[in-house]
Amino acid sequence: MCAQSSSASGLATVGTGRVLAVLGPTNTGKTYLAMERLAAHATGMIGFPLRLLARENYDKLVRMKGANSVALVTGEEKIIPPAPRYWVCTVESMPLDRPVAFLCVDEIQLCADDERGHIFTDRLLHARGGEETMFLGSDMIRPLIQKLIPKVEIITRPRFSKLSYGGHKKLTKLPPRSAITAFSVTEVYQLAEMVRRSRGGTAVVMGALSPRTRNAQVALYQAGDVDYLVATDAIGMGLNMDVDHVWFARMTKFDGQRPRRLTAPEVAQIGGRAGRHQTDGTFGTTWDCSPLDDDIVHAVENHEFPPLQQLVWRNSDLDTRSVEGLLRTLEARPPSPLLIRARPADDVEALKALSGDAEVMGLTRRPRGVKMLWEVCQVPDFRKTMTDAHTRLLGQLYRQLMAPGGRLPTDFIAGQVQRLDNLNGDIDTLVSRIAHIRTWTYISHRPDWVTDPKHWQGLTRGIEDRLSDALHERLTQRFVDKRSAGLVKSLRDGRDLTGFVTADGTVLVEGHPVGALKGLAFDLQADVGEDDTPTLMTAARRALREEIARRVAAVEAAGDDHFTLEADGIIRWDGVDLARLLPGERLLSPSVRLLRDELLEGAQRDRIRVRLLPFVQKRVQADLAPLVRLSAADLTGPARGVAFQLAEAAGILPRAGVAGLLSGIDRKMMAALERLGVRFGTAQLYLPGLIKPKAAAMLGLLWSVRQGLPLPAPLPPPGRISVLRDGADDGLLRAAGYLPLGPRAVRVDMVDRLMQAIAERSGDGRLTDLSGLASLVAGSNADMPSILAALGWRLRRKPPPAEGQEPLPDIWVRRRPEEASTPRAAPVPVPRPVDADNPFAALAGLADKLAAQAAPAEPTRRRRRKR
């Protein structure tokens, strides 16, 4: 039978049944053996360190023995059929007054745990089955068990698989089926976010989560929806998962009093979750955790740890006649040097705090007052707030229970519970509410405290379930990109991905929308993060391989009517941007580059370029037919050189630049050039056919592409004689058929007419009559000084007239050849008033007379030099 000692000695209870200790590292099948032995007996009880483990094994036993034969007892959940034969419990909740043939306690090495050790030690010393008692745990506790239980039988079980050190790896390089361990909620969230960005998603397991949420997160991992798990050391206590690798992101933890480094046995307990049954596992470090010391690695790999020296103990033979007596017996010294007194637990701290409340102390003088106070102090604080909020709640509970009726008022419970039934808030808010409702679930399982406990158990469990589901959803939304995680899994498996493009261009890969395909350009969805981009692009390439091949073939087979070349230099295929013009070897032979080719292979890019280049060349030849004919004409000698330079200069060439070539062209070749449309203007050679809007637009486009100018090019509107320059590129204006002259750009044929008109008015080399010239260039009279200066004329100023004389007209004279070699927009000087009595005025007049006398002789001298 199962009994608890009533003596204060604290030494092991003597029983007639067999006592076994099954010891060994993780993954030795200890729990499997215990469940088999439990099922083999007529009655039995087993205690687990976690509620989650208790529920997991309860479900297994129910499948074996039926629901009517199995009870589940934890602090927050009790499923007790009318006549259960088997009890599955948490260690704290084991009903030791129930006689059973078989009794087992799992993870018995927790007898040395600072926080819960005294509970496990009490079970080791006093909990027994009538026929068989079994303790499961680490081999470190062997010497102490042998000393405390002299007749114990020790069974050592080896690990089924090998556990090896994997060194240190970057977080982004961790292999699939990895668990990453940290020891604070903040670090768990931070790591989970980084894993989501790099690997698509991760499950999250923490002690602060409710069992339902933890189950859902573990199921997410087990189903393969994610390949990574970020957890606290909660995974170290027997959670059965298919983990191949365990990585420590930290080697320090807060033990409730101070931060400290993990011990080698703790590393083994957590790292030992890597590998299941015959599958080997690895453990190592990641993130900013340094590699493990050689001695720790050796100890973990070989399961060699120093034995435990003492177990944590707390007196269980308590004096409940007074608070003082209760505290005194709780602080009693251990009866053996093998035991060490437990540090004050939460229940003792709560008792000390409430003992300072005069009202509470007054109630303890009533019958059952001290015992009730101690029971209330043992209500768990699942929130772990480390504040007096929990103590205040315990004080309220105690006062209500000590009031007439001895039960908690319905309105009081309803007010506390209903405010927690709220699914709004972030992850931390939901975690806090779940912890709070778990406290009320625990209270609802005290039928002597509440009226209609079944109602409150159902209500609190329903709230906890709803909060847990909402928390699982929040965790999944935050730390799992199902789209990216699913595609990562498919890519890792190496199988073909199913891709589909909807009518509106949306790309679905394995049913997940990943982006849009327009022509050959693929755009990821806007919500795709930078770290998820490589994964989704890889998936898109694989899934769209056939669709891209089909579209490349369609581009190759398309007729020229399916392509357009716009003023922005973009080649479009059925209205979809496809490629852009690039400079070629010559102005009239541009190249092309695909705008978006990230889904294309090298050969596919080349095939599209081969298709687009002939289309572009045909467009150039059609729009620039006069220039193309000139380039291809059968010309020889200097005429061939003039034709080449005209083509490269976009159809306008200063005569001065090819004067040497012109002098060598015979009449036959000159006639051939004229038939090809070349006009030999006063100062320029040009092709009038290129001034037309279509040709001008094409030349402007080609020039801009060659010079790297912004597109579309800011060309003069069609039909304009001149436009204001306004900072426009001079080369672009020339390509469009306009010559920069002062503030304006004038169409080349009108510049020729202007120069002819000037020549007719300046037979003696001087120009005084500017009337009507501005209209030839569609400008104003104010523009003419700058235009004339750009054409090689300079203003010779006249002195102010003497009193009573008519003012003399301004005279424009040609600049000397060296001045006029490069037309420029020289500023027009503003005439200054001249004093007629000044002697320099007379000199200026004399200079004008000499210039007038010399002007008629200049043409004669030039003709003589030519001859």
Side-chain angles (χ1 to χ4, degrees):
M1 64 178 290
C2 194
Q4 186 166 351
S5 171
S6 60
S7 71
S9 68
L11 299 179
T13 297
V14 178
T16 58
R18 179 189 187 195
V19 180
L20 294 173
V22 183
L23 307 178
T26 56
N27 191 24
T28 57
K30 297 188 295 292
T31 305
Y32 182 83
L33 172 65
M35 292 297 290
E36 279 192 328
R37 296 299 303 148
L38 174 68
H41 286 276
T43 59
M45 180 183 301
I46 187 167
F48 291 100
L50 297 176
R51 172 185 170 188
L52 188 64
L53 285 174
R55 182 72 202 211
E56 178 183 324
N57 286 282
Y58 164 78
D59 292 336
K60 289 180 181 178
L61 198 57
V62 165
R63 288 192 292 269
M64 295 169 58
K65 297 294 186 178
N68 291 330
S69 297
V70 186
L72 174 67
V73 181
T74 69
E76 306 151 64
E77 189 173 18
K78 289 183 174 61
I79 303 175
I80 305 176
R85 294 192 296 127
Y86 304 98
W87 297 78
V88 181
C89 321
T90 52
V91 173
E92 286 85 347
S93 301
M94 297 174 72
L96 298 179
D97 56 340
R98 300 272 183 171
V100 292
F102 174 85
L103 185 141
C104 178
V105 178
D106 191 20
E107 304 290 359
I108 195 62
Q109 78 278 358
L110 288 178
C111 287
D113 182 74
D114 287 339
E115 185 176 353
R116 305 169 64 197
H118 65 278
I119 301 292
F120 285 79
T121 300
D122 184 78
R123 303 299 182 256
L124 175 68
L125 297 177
H126 305 305
R128 297 290 183 269
E131 299 174 6
E132 184 177 2
T133 302
M134 183 178 288
F135 298 108
L136 314 177
S138 168
D139 198 65
M140 295 186 302
I141 201 172
R142 175 198 295 261
L144 291 180
I145 285 184
Q146 289 174 325
K147 292 177 181 178
L148 291 170
I149 309 174
K151 295 184 178 181
V152 67
E153 299 177 37
I154 303 293
I155 299 177
T156 302
R157 293 178 67 93
R159 183 177 168 90
F160 289 143
S161 61
K162 183 179 179 181
L163 182 64
S164 303
Y165 181 53
H168 180 87
K169 288 186 181 294
K170 291 183 178 180
L171 196 63
T172 55
K173 301 295 184 182
L174 299 184
R177 312 313 291 169
S178 284
I180 305 159
T181 305
F183 297 97
S184 74
V185 173
T186 301
E187 288 180 349
V188 166
Y189 290 165
Q190 186 177 358
L191 288 163
E193 180 64 26
M194 289 189 287
V195 173
R196 186 202 69 79
R197 291 178 180 177
S198 62
R199 297 306 179 93
T202 180
V204 173
V205 172
M206 301 182 294
L209 303 183
S210 68
R212 185 182 180 94
T213 305
R214 273 182 286 174
N215 279 338
Q217 288 289 300
V218 169
L220 189 71
Y221 174 85
Q222 288 293 93
D225 293 334
V226 294
D227 268 330
Y228 298 88
L229 178 74
V230 179
T232 60
D233 52 351
I235 66 168
M237 290 297 166
L239 288 180
N240 295 314
M241 295 173 293
D242 298 326
V243 174
D244 295 335
H245 317 277
V246 172
W247 307 95
F248 291 86
R250 277 279 183 270
M251 285 297 291
T252 58
K253 65 176 292 185
F254 183 76
D255 65 0
Q257 290 186 327
R258 66 189 185 280
R260 63 169 179 82
R261 286 190 63 81
L262 297 179
T263 63
E266 288 172 324
V267 173
Q269 183 71 33
I270 299 169
R273 292 300 131 194
R276 298 301 304 163
H277 198 55
Q278 300 295 331
T279 304
D280 293 339
T282 62
F283 68 100
T285 59
T286 187
W287 201 26
D288 58 355
C289 183
S290 302
L292 297 178
D293 296 336
D294 291 342
D295 54 347
I296 292 181
V297 171
H298 176 80
V300 174
E301 287 185 335
N302 296 280
H303 317 296
E304 296 177 356
F305 309 110
L308 296 174
Q309 299 300 312
Q310 291 178 310
L311 304 183
V312 176
W313 176 88
R314 189 172 80 179
N315 187 17
S316 59
D317 187 13
L318 303 177
D319 179 4
T320 57
R321 291 173 298 178
S322 67
V323 172
E324 294 80 3
L326 177 59
L327 286 170
R328 184 180 62 256
T329 51
L330 281 169
E331 295 175 353
R333 293 187 175 185
S336 166
L338 302 178
L339 306 176
I340 184 174
R341 188 170 62 185
R343 71 187 187 195
D346 290 346
D347 51 5
V348 176
E349 295 292 353
L351 177 63
K352 290 179 178 179
L354 290 175
S355 65
D357 186 318
E359 182 183 356
V360 168
M361 291 302 290
L363 295 173
T364 61
R365 297 185 180 91
R366 297 181 184 180
R368 72 184 184 92
V370 177
K371 183 179 180 181
M372 176 63 70
L373 179 61
W374 179 233
E375 291 178 0
V376 168
C377 287
Q378 293 178 80
V379 173
D381 178 15
F382 294 104
R383 290 175 292 174
K384 302 294 182 184
T385 56
M386 297 188 197
T387 67
D388 59 356
H390 184 67
T391 304
R392 288 198 301 271
L393 173 63
L394 297 182
Q396 287 181 291
L397 294 177
Y398 182 66
R399 293 182 184 91
Q400 301 281 5
L401 290 171
M402 293 303 294
R407 294 180 184 271
L408 299 176
T410 299
D411 292 345
F412 171 69
I413 301 175
Q416 294 285 332
V417 168
Q418 289 174 0
R419 66 186 179 87
L420 300 174
D421 193 7
N422 181 357
L423 304 184
N424 297 320
D426 58 13
I427 291 174
D428 291 334
T429 300
L430 292 176
V431 167
S432 177
R433 289 194 190 119
I434 289 173
H436 205 165
I437 197 65
R438 288 176 68 187
T439 298
W440 285 100
T441 300
Y442 177 93
I443 294 170
S444 71
H445 281 90
R446 292 294 305 259
D448 54 333
W449 287 9
V450 300
T451 303
D452 195 2
K454 293 293 183 183
H455 165 74
W456 295 115
Q457 290 167 19
L459 182 62
T460 56
R461 175 51 51 80
I463 294 174
E464 180 181 334
D465 287 349
R466 288 191 293 276
L467 290 171
S468 297
D469 291 342
L471 177 58
H472 172 63
E473 181 181 350
R474 298 284 201 288
L475 289 169
T476 303
Q477 287 175 348
R478 179 170 173 181
F479 298 125
V480 179
D481 183 341
K482 290 187 176 180
R483 171 184 57 194
S484 182
L487 294 178
V488 167
K489 180 182 177 183
S490 299
L491 289 170
R492 187 187 68 248
D493 295 341
R495 64 183 180 85
D496 292 336
L497 300 179
T498 302
F500 178 71
V501 183
T502 64
D504 64 354
T506 300
V507 175
L508 302 175
V509 178
E510 297 290 300
H512 299 289
V514 298
L517 187 64
K518 192 172 183 180
L520 298 176
F522 175 70
D523 292 308
L524 286 171
Q525 286 192 323
D527 63 343
V528 175
E530 180 180 350
D531 295 316
D532 294 331
T533 297
T535 296
L536 296 186
M537 286 300 301
T538 301
R541 287 190 190 96
R542 185 180 295 182
L544 296 176
R545 187 178 293 123
E546 293 183 3
E547 176 65 19
I548 291 297
R550 186 189 69 78
R551 296 195 180 197
V552 169
V555 172
E556 288 184 290
D560 285 349
D561 57 331
H562 287 269
F563 300 105
T564 58
L565 174 58
E566 308 292 346
D568 55 5
I570 303 299
I571 302 169
R572 292 178 173 85
W573 169 47
D574 288 336
V576 177
D577 294 358
L578 187 61
R580 178 186 296 279
L581 286 189
L582 288 182
E585 294 183 1
R586 296 183 56 195
L587 176 68
L588 303 185
S589 302
S591 184
V592 296
R593 183 184 67 192
L594 296 184
L595 289 173
R596 301 284 299 278
D597 59 358
E598 56 268 21
L599 297 185
L600 273 62
E601 298 173 356
Q604 292 174 325
R605 297 185 187 98
D606 293 339
R607 286 160 53 192
I608 293 177
R609 289 183 70 256
V610 167
R611 174 63 191 92
L612 295 181
L613 283 173
F615 160 74
V616 172
Q617 203 57 47
K618 286 181 182 179
R619 269 293 309 272
V620 171
Q621 292 173 357
D623 292 354
L624 303 179
L627 203 53
V628 172
R629 284 196 302 269
L630 179 64
S631 298
D634 186 15
L635 299 172
T636 60
R640 180 76 176 160
V642 169
F644 176 81
Q645 291 197 40
L646 265 173
E648 289 301 299
I652 298 178
L653 196 61
R655 289 191 68 139
V658 290
L661 291 175
L662 290 176
S663 64
I665 299 176
D666 58 25
R667 290 185 179 181
K668 181 181 178 180
M669 286 294 102
M670 188 68 74
L673 289 172
E674 290 176 344
R675 284 194 301 271
L676 289 168
V678 178
R679 180 169 296 177
F680 296 87
T682 304
Q684 307 287 333
L685 274 63
Y686 63 96
L687 282 78
L690 299 180
I691 301 174
K692 296 180 180 179
K694 184 179 290 188
M698 178 57 76
L699 280 170
L701 171 60
L702 296 179
W703 184 268
S704 296
V705 168
R706 191 173 184 84
Q707 301 299 321
L709 301 178
L711 290 172
L715 299 174
R720 293 287 182 88
I721 292 174
S722 71
V723 294
L724 290 173
R725 291 169 68 184
D726 285 338
D729 183 79
D730 288 349
L732 175 61
L733 292 172
R734 292 181 66 89
Y738 290 76
L739 295 180
L741 296 177
R744 305 190 73 81
V746 184
R747 207 170 64 202
V748 63
D749 58 334
M750 299 309 296
V751 174
D752 203 26
R753 287 182 59 182
L754 174 63
M755 295 184 72
Q756 290 174 8
I758 292 173
E760 292 172 357
R761 301 184 186 191
S762 59
D764 60 355
R766 296 186 302 174
L767 178 64
T768 57
D769 182 11
L770 305 184
S771 61
L773 295 181
S775 62
L776 291 177
V777 295
S780 65
N781 291 332
D783 295 332
M784 288 311 299
S786 295
I787 292 174
L788 288 172
L791 290 174
W793 295 81
R794 62 185 176 88
L795 182 64
R796 176 175 292 169
R797 306 196 177 282
K798 292 296 183 180
E803 186 176 353
Q805 292 182 347
E806 292 292 329
L808 297 174
D810 288 336
I811 297 176
W812 287 85
V813 297
R814 298 181 192 276
R815 287 203 300 271
R816 292 189 297 273
E818 59 270 20
E819 296 178 328
S821 59
T822 304
R824 62 183 186 274
V828 180
V830 179
R832 295 181 180 178
V834 180
D835 184 358
D837 296 330
N838 192 306
F840 290 101
L843 290 175
L846 178 59
D848 289 341
K849 288 179 182 180
L850 292 174
Q853 293 172 0
E858 288 180 353
T860 304
R861 287 199 297 270
R862 282 199 298 271
R863 283 196 297 272
R864 287 175 182 170
R865 281 198 299 271
K866 185 175 182 181
R867 287 196 297 267

